[in-house]
Amino acid sequence: MSNSVINWFKYASPATFYPLAGRLIPWFSGLAVLLIAWGLWIGLFVAPTDAQQSEGYRIIFVHVPASWLSMFIYCVMAFWSALGLAFNTRLSGMLTAALAPTGALFAFLSLWTGALWGKPMWGAWWVWDARLTSQLILFFLYLGFIALQSAIDDPRRADRAGALLALVGVVNVPIIYFSVQWWNTLHQGASVSLTKAPSMAHVMLEGMLIMALGFWSYAIAVVLTRVRCIILERELTSEWVKRNAVD
Amino acid sequence: MMTGFWTSMRRDLVLATRHKSEWLTALFFFVMVTNLLPLGVGPEVSLLRKIAPGVLWIGALLSTLLGLQRLFSSDHADGTLEQMALSPVPLAWLVAGKMVTHWLVCGLPVVLMAPLLGLQFDLPSRSLGILVLSLLLGTPILSAVGALGAALTLGLRGGGALLSLLILPLYIPALIFGAGAVEADMAGISPQGHLSLLGALLVLSVFFSPWVTSLALRIALE
C-alpha cells in the first residue's frame, strides 16, 4: 500500500491496537476525572435550585448522562458488531465484549438514580412508565448479551453470536421503545432536545453536558483497559504478546 | 426451494406426532400457569377479567419457550443439522419449515385452548374472538423470534435459561399489542390498531427471522 493512502486497517490488528490503547488510557482517565469533577462542581454548587423540584433535581447531572451513554454504547456495540461480521475482524468482537459491561453499568446507574429521583418527585421508587420500562429492557438486553457471550467457550463463536444478537437487539430497541410508549407514558419529556430550545437554565445544561463528556471519557478509558485484558487473554500464545506485552 | 420447505416441515411434523408428550407438555404448561393465577390472586371476577388478557398472553409466551429448545437440538446432536447446512436448498427455507412446524405444534394448540381458558376468566364472548385473533397473529411471531434464540444458544451450557433471557425482552412488543388488543376490546375501543401493529410485527419477523436464524445456525455449526 502506498504512503499517500491511509491504512484504515492498521489498528484493526490486536498487535497494533494494544499499545495504542495503552497510550490513550491515561489521557482519557485524566480527562474523565477532570470533567466529572468540574461537572459535579457546577451541578452541586453553581447550578441554581430548581423552582419546582428544589434540590432533588440535581441528580439529573448523573442520571441524564448515564442514560444517554447506556443507549449510545448499545449503538456503538451494534456498529462494531456489524463491522466485525462484515470484515471478519477479531478486534471488533473484543471491543463489543468490552463495551457490554460498561453499557450495562450505565443502564443500571440510570435506573437507580431514576428511582432515587422518582421517590421524592413522583412519590414512588418505580412507575410503569414508557421510558423507565424501555430503559429496563435495555438493561435486560445488555444482560442477555453478556450471558450469551460468557456461555460460549469458543471466543470466535462468542463474538459472532454476540454480534448477531447485538444487531437484532438494535433493530428491536426502537420497536420496543415505541410499543412501550403507546402502552403507557408518564415520564417528563426529554430534558434536552435538538429541535427545540432547551427548557432549562444554561448553567444546568452546561453542567449536564460536561458530565456527559466526563462519563464518555470514563467509558472510553475503562473499555480500552478491558479490551487490553481481553486481547491479552486471547492472544496469549501469539508471538507479539510474548515479545512485548509480558514484561 | 419450496420442496425443501415442505420436506423439512413434514419431517418435523412426523417427528412431533411420534413424540406427543413434547408438545402436550407445553400445552398443559399453558393451562397450568393460567389456572394457577386465580389461585394466587383470588377468585374475584372483576379482577380476573381485568388481568385475563395479560395472563393468557404471558402463558402463551412461556409455553412457546418450552418447545423452542428442542427446535434444533436433536438435529444438532445427530448431525442432521450439518447436513441441512450443506444441502443445496437454502438453509433459511429449511429453517422456515421448522419454524412453521413449531408454530403448528406449540402455537396453534395454545390459540385453540385460549378461548376455553378465557371462559374461566369470565371474558365476554366478543373479547374471546379478539383474543383468538390476537394469538393467531402473535404466536407465529413468538415462534419466529424464538427460533433465533434457539439457534444462538444451540448446544450451550444452561441453554434453556439463557434462551429465555435472550428472547423474552424481544417478545415484549408482541405481548403489549396482543394483550392490548383484548384489553381495548373489553374497554369498548376498537382493537384494530393493536391488531394491525401485531400484523406488521408478524410480517417483519416471519420475513427476516429464517434468514437471521440460518446465519446464527451457521455460526453455531462452525
Side-chain angles (χ1 to χ4, degrees):
Chain A
M1 191 175 278
S2 68
N3 287 332
S4 58
V5 180
I6 305 169
N7 183 0
W8 290 103
F9 292 100
K10 183 174 179 213
Y11 289 110
S13 149
T16 47
F17 186 77
Y18 183 86
L20 173 74
R23 278 200 302 278
L24 289 177
I25 288 168
W27 288 100
F28 281 108
S29 319
L31 207 61
V33 171
L34 283 179
L35 285 172
I36 290 175
W38 185 20
L40 280 180
W41 181 69
I42 291 184
L44 296 180
F45 300 108
V46 179
T49 306
D50 188 82
Q52 291 161 6
Q53 313 188 350
S54 71
E55 303 291 348
Y57 88 94
R58 288 183 198 275
I59 202 149
I60 63 159
F61 291 107
V62 177
H63 177 69
V64 173
S67 314
W68 280 346
L69 216 60
S70 67
M71 291 182 258
F72 182 68
I73 287 179
Y74 203 85
C75 297
V76 176
M77 273 170 63
F79 170 76
W80 286 115
S81 298
L83 221 60
L85 284 179
F87 294 108
N88 220 359
T89 45
R90 279 174 302 160
L91 191 63
S92 318
M94 299 183 194
L95 257 175
T96 317
L99 279 162
T102 306
L105 172 78
F106 279 119
F108 178 73
L109 200 63
S110 141
L111 288 169
W112 191 25
T113 52
L116 289 179
W117 179 85
K119 184 64 185 162
M121 299 306 159
W122 294 332
W125 295 108
W126 181 264
V127 287
W128 288 100
D129 157 69
R131 292 165 62 120
L132 271 78
T133 314
S134 40
Q135 187 71 15
L136 183 67
I137 294 164
L138 182 67
F139 182 56
F140 289 158
L141 288 178
Y142 274 121
L143 291 190
F145 179 88
I146 296 170
L148 179 67
Q149 283 226 320
S150 57
I152 306 178
D153 292 324
D154 172 27
R156 292 292 294 150
R157 186 186 162 190
D159 281 351
R160 292 161 60 91
L164 205 59
L165 183 66
L167 284 177
V168 171
V170 92
V171 172
N172 267 285
V173 161
I175 298 178
I176 293 175
Y177 177 76
F178 284 111
S179 60
V180 177
Q181 180 125 45
W182 282 318
W183 172 67
N184 195 7
T185 199
L186 175 75
H187 198 285
Q188 64 177 23
S191 304
V192 178
S193 141
L194 290 177
T195 46
K196 63 175 199 279
S199 57
M200 55 167 66
H202 260 290
V203 63
M204 292 184 195
L205 183 66
E206 197 183 297
M208 218 154 74
L209 291 178
I210 291 167
M211 281 299 280
L213 287 176
F215 276 18
W216 267 35
S217 313
Y218 162 80
I220 293 171
V222 168
V223 167
L224 287 179
T225 314
R226 199 176 289 122
V227 87
R228 264 164 71 97
C229 295
I230 295 175
I231 289 175
L232 279 188
E233 250 173 45
R234 295 208 187 159
E235 309 267 306
L236 205 54
T237 49
S238 69
E239 266 311 303
W240 70 267
V241 174
K242 284 181 187 151
R243 246 184 297 120
N244 305 322
V246 185
D247 297 324
Chain B
M1 269 188 324
M2 283 315 278
T3 47
F5 170 75
W6 289 115
T7 313
S8 147
M9 195 177 129
R10 206 165 42 231
R11 172 176 168 275
D12 275 23
L13 270 178
V14 169
L15 284 176
T17 50
R18 294 196 183 148
H19 302 275
K20 290 196 185 61
S21 67
E22 289 190 359
W23 55 275
L24 281 175
T25 320
L27 185 61
F28 279 121
F29 178 80
F30 174 57
V31 175
M32 209 85 93
V33 165
T34 46
N35 271 302
L36 278 182
L37 236 108
L39 299 178
V41 299
E44 199 185 323
V45 173
S46 62
L47 176 68
L48 287 184
R49 204 181 294 142
K50 203 162 161 43
I51 61 171
V55 170
L56 290 168
W57 254 91
I58 289 175
L61 226 84
L62 294 178
S63 70
T64 51
L65 271 183
L66 285 184
L68 277 175
Q69 245 200 301
R70 282 187 302 272
L71 192 55
F72 301 116
S73 61
S74 62
D75 284 346
H76 180 54
D78 64 12
T80 316
L81 202 59
E82 279 174 20
Q83 298 301 320
M84 285 180 172
L86 291 174
S87 85
V89 182
L91 183 57
W93 278 103
L94 300 175
V95 168
K98 290 176 92 62
M99 268 176 208
V100 172
T101 312
H102 177 266
W103 179 71
L104 286 174
V105 167
C106 289
L108 195 57
V110 165
V111 177
L112 297 177
M113 188 57 104
L116 209 60
L117 296 169
L119 283 177
Q120 286 188 305
F121 285 84
D122 196 34
L123 283 183
S125 54
R126 206 170 50 109
S127 300
L128 283 179
I130 299 295
L131 174 72
V132 170
L133 197 58
S134 77
L135 281 171
L136 210 54
L137 286 170
T139 42
I141 304 176
L142 306 182
S143 294
V145 176
L148 171 66
L152 281 174
T153 56
L154 188 60
L156 298 182
R157 283 172 271 120
L162 186 61
L163 174 65
S164 33
L165 190 59
L166 297 187
I167 289 307
L168 283 177
L170 304 181
Y171 277 177
I172 289 168
L175 170 68
I176 288 177
F177 295 128
V182 186
E183 273 159 19
D185 184 66
M186 284 163 67
I189 312 165
S190 161
Q192 204 179 0
H194 287 95
L195 291 176
S196 309
L197 284 164
L198 209 57
L201 288 177
L202 172 68
V203 172
L204 274 179
S205 56
V206 168
F207 185 79
F208 284 107
S209 173
W211 174 59
V212 182
T213 306
S214 65
L215 286 180
L217 281 177
R218 286 195 194 282
I219 293 172
L221 288 174
E222 255 175 17

